[in-house]
Amino acid sequence: MEVVQSHRKSSSNNVIVSILPLYRSAPPLEVRLEDFEFFAIDRLRVLKGISDGLCRGKKPEEMEKLVLDLWKANMRHPQAVEEVNKDIISHFVLRLVYCRTEELRKWFLSMETTLFRHRFRRGSSEAQRALMSEFKLPYKAVSNAEFESLKDKLGQVARSMGQTLAAADAIFYKVPFEEVPDLVAGRRVFIHKGHAYVAINQVVSLVVTQFRSYLSKALILTNRKWTSTIREQEKDRLTPIVEALCTSYLGPDYSQQQEFGEISIKDIDQVAKTSFPLCMRHLFEKVKEDHHLKHGGRMQLGLFLKGVGLKLDDALAFWKAEFAPKVSAERFDKEYAYNIRHNYGREGKRTDYTPYSCQKIISVTPGIGDHHGCPYRHFSEENLRAALVRMGVSSRAVEDVMDKVHNRHYQLACTLTFEAVHGSSCDAGINHPNQYFIDSQRVLQSKNGSVA
Ligand code: SF4
């Protein structure tokens, strides 16, 4: 796969592959630098959506629909061949992104395998057979004579799953049982003398096992190539994109709050109680209590407040009043006002800074005396439980939240908190503190007929 600066690849360059590619080798395509990044971001949206669905414990049929919707929303192209190219290119770009550490490889492998499983299931039986032969699966279909001798047993297994055994032309494959662990664990196959008898409609397990093992090896090899050559060769062009992609936030930047207009100083105490996520509630309470916040906290809360619609003059008045017991007006103007104006793009390079996403907040390492960061990640268990109770989360919901925290699903923990506090579901999950605020205001508005 060759990455070029910016010209369209000719259609004669396109490789026609089966609808579900096995990603055996990087495609002989020229890829524009923009496509390199945009295709990867679109695929990342699919994989992240799958990851959220799995973490939320969605049922298989819900996952089926979710994967289909995610694919349609992000990967579809009116021309089938373009869709196939995008599929392959995006997979290979993300391989580079996610080959670089054990943890990244594990996540990518798991999400790509889930995606592959769902796409394989949706394929026609011809397409499924074609993939089986492409994988060169060394399994033989059970002979008619053997099928007849085992028919009763096979029928029992089928009935236990609420299915009927198809007629004599039913195809079963005889497979060493350790190669289909999920079927064995789910008691969905008949096992005899170390072999599992896998029906054609269960064949997905075999193919997925092969796919997973192939991709796992490929990721290790890609990592070697990345470390030994690609990273250095591409240090000015692809490397920065690759390194940024796995932590990139994929949603809106919330630099300007438009939906609910401005928030004035007099409303701020009220909305902090009803609509701030825990990270911002904590900072807000700390500034009221200590009449000071260190730089990291001022940035995190200050940009969030800007995103919820606090105008510059109100922001200056807010911080000045809160700091007043400890910081004189003169010192405030000299030491703090500049930074606030700077965040609003009125000083220095005049950049209009955007509020921090969850990903960014979760990844910081607060020092002693700092109050910024994400409480789900950075609080002790005891402090977090107490903070959740103060927010009005029921004891049962607290356990669900803590379960997500123990598994390091901090944004899901925040999503469950949102749902518990608002009594309303948040299917998209929480990805940004300002999204939490907007979703909260929407729920409150629909409940009360006006914004709290
Ligand atoms: Fe804040 Fe995001 Fe953490 Fe929720 S998950 S507390 S919004 S950083």
Side-chain angles (χ1 to χ4, degrees):
M1 188 163 74
E2 187 187 344
V3 181
V4 295
Q5 211 59 38
S6 187
H7 71 256
R8 269 249 157 250
K9 53 193 177 285
S10 79
S11 56
S12 62
N13 273 342
N14 292 334
V15 210
I16 308 294
V17 289
S18 65
I19 285 305
L20 181 49
L22 295 181
Y23 315 107
R24 292 266 194 218
S25 54
L29 292 173
E30 282 188 354
V31 183
R32 293 185 306 163
L33 200 53
E34 306 89 279
D35 290 346
F36 181 89
E37 187 170 4
F38 292 147
F39 288 0
I41 287 176
D42 282 344
R43 191 180 196 91
L44 208 42
R45 288 183 211 278
V46 176
L47 299 186
K48 291 209 163 157
I50 292 176
S51 173
D52 280 356
L54 292 173
C55 294
R56 289 171 75 89
K58 284 198 183 288
K59 298 194 189 97
E61 56 285 6
E62 293 171 324
M63 281 304 294
E64 203 77 54
K65 181 173 179 314
L66 176 72
V67 175
L68 186 64
D69 291 347
L70 286 165
W71 190 265
K72 270 193 202 156
N74 297 291
M75 299 297 288
R76 278 277 156 89
H77 192 284
Q79 283 170 284
V81 79
E82 290 291 340
E83 184 174 327
V84 172
N85 286 341
K86 179 173 179 179
D87 179 8
I88 301 177
I89 292 163
S90 62
H91 172 89
F92 276 95
V93 178
L94 289 189
R95 244 192 221 187
L96 278 181
V97 175
Y98 282 86
C99 72
R100 297 169 304 125
T101 68
E102 173 79 41
E103 201 177 346
L104 292 177
R105 283 195 291 274
K106 210 166 134 196
W107 184 85
F108 182 69
L109 188 59
S110 168
M111 296 316 132
E112 279 286 337
T113 306
T114 307
L115 174 62
F116 182 86
R117 179 194 300 276
H118 285 275
R119 293 179 71 200
F120 182 83
R121 274 218 195 100
R122 291 191 61 80
S124 64
S125 50
E126 290 79 42
Q128 291 180 347
R129 280 182 205 219
L131 271 175
M132 281 189 74
S133 70
E134 231 182 289
F135 268 126
K136 298 196 175 55
L137 291 182
Y139 312 124
K140 287 221 162 57
V142 170
S143 69
N144 278 349
E146 192 174 2
F147 175 75
E148 284 303 320
S149 71
L150 297 172
K151 206 158 93 179
D152 290 347
K153 300 280 185 200
L154 295 171
Q156 274 173 21
V157 176
R159 279 194 296 283
S160 74
M161 295 185 293
Q163 296 166 357
T164 50
L165 191 63
D169 61 349
I171 300 174
F172 278 82
Y173 291 89
K174 205 166 151 181
V175 176
F177 78 92
E178 63 274 15
E179 294 189 19
V180 283
D182 55 335
L183 292 181
V184 174
R187 296 168 182 268
R188 286 181 284 140
V189 273
F190 171 58
I191 300 176
H192 183 57
K193 292 188 179 167
H195 283 98
Y197 287 74
V198 180
I200 183 84
N201 61 358
Q202 295 173 314
V203 112
V204 61
S205 273
L206 300 175
V207 179
V208 167
T209 305
Q210 296 291 321
F211 177 77
R212 192 185 171 89
S213 122
Y214 162 71
L215 183 57
S216 170
K217 286 178 201 143
L219 282 168
I220 305 273
L221 289 177
T222 311
N223 182 38
R224 270 188 218 144
K225 275 193 212 152
W226 169 259
T227 326
S228 62
T229 49
I230 309 174
R231 184 173 52 193
E232 188 51 29
Q233 272 171 9
E234 292 287 347
K235 70 177 189 309
D236 297 326
R237 207 172 55 135
L238 300 190
T239 302
I241 300 177
V242 165
E243 288 179 346
L245 266 170
C246 68
T247 53
S248 57
Y249 163 67
L250 308 172
D253 68 12
Y254 297 101
S255 56
Q256 269 164 17
Q257 211 283 94
Q258 283 156 354
E259 189 172 342
F260 298 104
E262 294 175 16
I263 297 280
S264 70
I265 284 196
K266 69 176 173 31
D267 302 323
I268 207 167
D269 285 341
Q270 177 60 21
V271 291
K273 275 197 207 107
T274 59
S275 295
F276 281 16
L278 189 49
C279 53
M280 300 304 169
R281 275 174 78 114
H282 177 60
L283 286 169
F284 193 75
E285 284 166 10
K286 278 291 160 196
V287 75
K288 299 245 156 203
E289 202 177 298
D290 297 350
H291 304 293
H292 193 262
L293 270 185
K294 286 182 155 188
H295 180 73
R298 295 199 304 274
M299 289 297 285
Q300 185 174 309
L301 179 61
L303 288 170
F304 168 79
L305 291 175
K306 176 184 154 191
V308 305
L310 193 69
K311 293 286 151 219
L312 174 60
D313 287 346
D314 276 353
L316 286 164
F318 166 76
W319 290 103
K320 196 169 191 168
E322 295 306 334
F323 277 26
K326 281 193 180 160
V327 177
S328 70
E330 244 174 49
R331 198 177 135 215
F332 182 87
D333 290 342
K334 226 162 104 192
E335 291 178 25
Y336 298 98
Y338 177 90
N339 255 333
I340 297 167
R341 285 198 300 273
H342 192 264
N343 282 349
Y344 278 75
R346 306 291 171 83
E347 301 281 0
K349 284 191 277 171
R350 305 204 165 241
T351 310
D352 198 8
Y353 290 94
T354 54
Y356 296 164
S357 68
C358 292
Q359 221 160 7
K360 180 163 176 146
I361 295 173
I362 288 169
S363 66
V364 299
T365 314
I368 295 166
D370 279 330
H371 296 294
H372 62 287
C374 172
Y376 299 97
R377 162 134 201 235
H378 298 113
F379 274 19
S380 67
E381 174 156 351
E382 197 188 346
N383 285 349
L384 181 55
R385 282 178 182 275
L388 291 168
V389 171
R390 282 201 302 279
M391 279 179 93
V393 179
S394 71
S395 47
R396 181 148 176 222
V398 168
E399 294 314 316
D400 292 343
V401 171
M402 294 312 300
D403 182 55
K404 298 295 175 206
V405 169
H406 293 146
N407 287 306
R408 300 197 287 163
H409 297 311
Y410 308 115
Q411 287 168 239
L412 273 170
C414 189
T415 308
L416 292 188
T417 305
F418 179 99
E419 292 178 343
V421 169
H422 293 83
S424 166
S425 70
C426 174
D427 288 341
I430 297 297
N431 295 303
H432 199 294
N434 290 77
Q435 173 217 344
Y436 185 109
F437 175 82
I438 290 172
D439 287 355
S440 166
Q441 290 281 290
R442 271 190 203 136
V443 173
L444 296 176
Q445 194 172 43
S446 70
K447 276 187 186 163
N448 305 334
S450 66
V451 182

